[in-house]
Amino acid sequence: MGRLQNLFWVSENRKISRSAAVLNLAGVTALWVGLFWISLSAIQVKLDFRFLGEFPLRIRNGFLMTLGLSIVSLAFSLIIGMLSAAGQSSPVLFIRFFCSVYVKFIRGTPLIMQIYLFFYIVGTAWGVDNRFLAGVLILSIFEGAYIAEIIRGSLLSLDQSQLEAARAVGFTKRQAWRFVILPQMVARTLPALTGQFASIIKDSSLLSVIAVIELTQTMREISAVNFRLFECYLFLGVLYLCLTLPISLVSERLERRFQYES
Amino acid sequence: MKVEFQNLSKQYEPEQIILHPMNFADDVHTLAIIGPSGGGKSTLLRILGGLIAPTTGKLWVDGEEILQNETALQQYRKKIGFVFQQGGLFRHMSARDNIAVPLEQVHGYSREHAEERAMELLARFGLKEDAEKKPAALSGGQQQRVAIARAVAARPKLLLLDEPTSALDPEFTTEVLNVIRELKEDGMRFIIVTHEMGFARHACDRAAFLCEGTLMEYGESARLFDHPETEQLKRFLGKLLQWNIS
């Protein structure tokens, strides 16, 4: 009885056994697939994915475009995020308010509105007509605001006693940053930043509205030709999961690893 | 080592006076600062350690005036060891690195030499097996012993300890106090803020009683404990004795 119960039940602070995990995950998957299957049958749709074989190059290009967009945007948004996190505690009031208005505006409005605003008004006015560049800029500005908050939060949560200890051992300001503040901030922000990278990948799909030929736009175009809407979007979901699932696993692992340290 | 200050005070808001202007001059070997909580003991120790600036007054250590600018203070802090009540160890570093990194970066030791010195101290304080552990994996007593090892690693002129045992369980308190006594036997000079009256009386040759931001009594520790002069010290010691087991 106890053994059987352990396959379905976990008490607090106990480890989940591998067999229990596999069994329950299989059950969950079966439930989802089953529900979906019943729904599809109810509307009499038969899935047929064979057409995908006709577009391997386009799908690959779309996938790489999404990946490229996300990686470049991650780099830029990190820079923007760090600058605006620092800016929000600047003694120069103009800089402080500039950064805080930026963060509040971006976090308080939907990405799709920002995409239209930046691309059709700001982009046109300033002559940004390269869609990849425009996409990277928009995405970086958007994600930068979220990263700024992640960084600001971890700066605020730094323990004052650590800073005092840094001074007591004789570190200069610079050394305190290098040997104490930055390593501790990295430990605190890395899990959240990794999670944010998964968000960037998903958010990049909205750039399809300004016809950046990334993964979502590619699948939209393919479905427009053969009307295999369900198959296209299902496959699209699988491709995004291929990117985001490993990232969220890494994020969880980092979180566990650094938990013991702070 | 001669420690002297004149007209030293600390005040945060106009209303919030932590330390009233006070004077002091003596050759310090082992000094305990005692007194009720909120009396300004930790603040005084932090000023002596160059960690916070006094509102008024001047401070001389070893005949040298401690100027209150960051560059001068940073040079001064190199010569002082400081042990905090708790949480003073760098959380992301192993016990060994907590000692070795400042030796290397602040005191110019080579990496090998710094690690050697760190291991030597850890072994001496019974922490050889724990060198690679991060502070969170050490007991409170072990953490404080590492903190003391770090503070004395660069052979400071003076060691300052801010209630090093008050966050510890009784059995860890003894092991930490033993380490400090050993250092005393080696000739280390220190000033300790403490609530361990037995230690203040028997291990420290001088004691200072700080109450309500005022240095009320100072002298040989035996004298303070046996013949307190001020009402405040009498009351303070009386309260401590109330639950004495003997």
Side-chain angles (χ1 to χ4, degrees), chain B residues 169-182:
Chain B
D169 289 337
E171 71 264 37
F172 295 139
T173 299
T174 312
E175 71 182 41
V176 171
L177 293 179
N178 286 344
V179 164
I180 302 169
R181 191 185 53 199
E182 259 180 55

Side-chain angles (χ1 to χ4, degrees), chain B residues 114-135:
Chain B
E115 288 189 0
E116 211 176 282
R117 172 84 176 133
M119 289 311 294
E120 171 196 326
L121 284 161
L122 288 172
R124 180 177 164 193
F125 294 157
L127 294 159
K128 203 172 166 188
E129 309 301 318
D130 306 302
E132 297 305 324
K133 289 187 189 157
K134 303 231 161 100

Side-chain angles (χ1 to χ4, degrees), chain A residues 213-226:
Chain A
I213 318 290
E214 42 68 73
L215 197 51
T216 303
Q217 180 63 8
T218 305
M219 296 314 283
R220 272 168 66 159
E221 286 176 7
I222 292 174
S223 71
V225 176
N226 59 18

Side-chain angles (χ1 to χ4, degrees), chain B residues 34-116:
Chain B
I34 57 169
S37 296
K41 306 186 296 295
S42 291
T43 304
L44 178 60
L45 200 73
R46 277 175 167 70
I47 293 174
L48 295 179
L51 292 174
I52 54 177
T55 308
T56 65
K58 284 184 173 181
L59 169 68
W60 294 264
V61 172
D62 227 4
E64 239 177 278
E65 184 178 351
I66 309 308
L67 298 171
Q68 298 295 326
N69 65 68
E70 191 50 34
T71 328
L73 284 174
Q74 198 218 313
Q75 287 304 314
Y76 170 64
R77 287 183 209 124
K78 283 177 163 185
K79 302 177 204 157
I80 302 287
F82 204 105
V83 177
F84 295 92
Q85 184 177 354
Q86 61 177 330
L89 291 178
F90 301 127
R91 288 178 193 149
H92 60 296
M93 289 186 193
S94 65
R96 190 193 58 193
D97 283 348
N98 257 287
I99 305 170
V101 171
L103 282 180
E104 190 189 353
Q105 300 301 331
V106 178
H107 301 280
Y109 284 44
S110 69
R111 182 78 208 157
E112 296 76 46
H113 189 191
E115 288 189 0
E116 211 176 282

Side-chain angles (χ1 to χ4, degrees), chain A residues 94-148:
Chain A
F94 184 83
I95 295 178
R96 184 184 292 201
F97 288 136
F98 181 88
C99 293
S100 115
V101 166
Y102 154 70
V103 169
K104 291 208 164 58
F105 174 77
I106 296 291
R107 284 166 55 97
T109 54
L111 175 57
I112 195 152
M113 167 262 170
Q114 293 167 24
I115 294 174
Y116 283 127
L117 180 78
F118 286 121
F119 187 68
Y120 289 111
I121 301 180
V122 183
T124 311
W126 295 82
V128 183
D129 45 15
N130 179 327
R131 282 168 199 270
F132 179 81
L133 180 68
V136 163
L137 282 177
I138 293 169
L139 208 52
S140 305
I141 291 172
F142 177 73
E143 305 292 342
Y146 287 85
I147 290 179

Side-chain angles (χ1 to χ4, degrees), chain A residues 22-63:
Chain A
V22 170
L23 184 73
N24 286 282
L25 268 177
V28 170
T29 316
L31 176 73
W32 280 114
V33 171
L35 268 177
F36 202 69
W37 192 257
I38 294 167
S39 314
L40 281 172
S41 313
I43 52 169
Q44 282 147 18
V45 172
K46 274 216 162 79
L47 293 180
D48 180 1
F49 287 96
R50 276 173 302 180
F51 73 94
L52 287 171
E54 298 166 28
F55 309 98
L57 200 66
R58 286 178 69 180
I59 295 174
R60 197 201 66 171
N61 286 346
F63 188 81

Side-chain angles (χ1 to χ4, degrees), chain A residues 159 161-162 164-173 175 178-181 183-184 188 260-262, chain B residues 46 50-51 70 74 77 80 82 84 87-93 101-102 105-107 134 136 150:
Chain A
D159 206 330
S161 70
Q162 296 286 296
E164 198 173 35
R167 290 196 302 141
V169 299
F171 281 150
T172 58
K173 261 208 171 115
Q175 287 173 323
R178 179 162 164 219
F179 295 107
V180 182
I181 302 173
Q184 294 198 4
R188 273 155 204 240
Y260 301 108
E261 304 192 0
S262 48
Chain B
R46 277 175 167 70
L51 292 174
E70 191 50 34
Q74 198 218 313
R77 287 183 209 124
I80 302 287
F82 204 105
F84 295 92
L89 291 178
F90 301 127
R91 288 178 193 149
H92 60 296
M93 289 186 193
V101 171
Q105 300 301 331
V106 178
H107 301 280
K134 303 231 161 100
R150 183 178 72 186

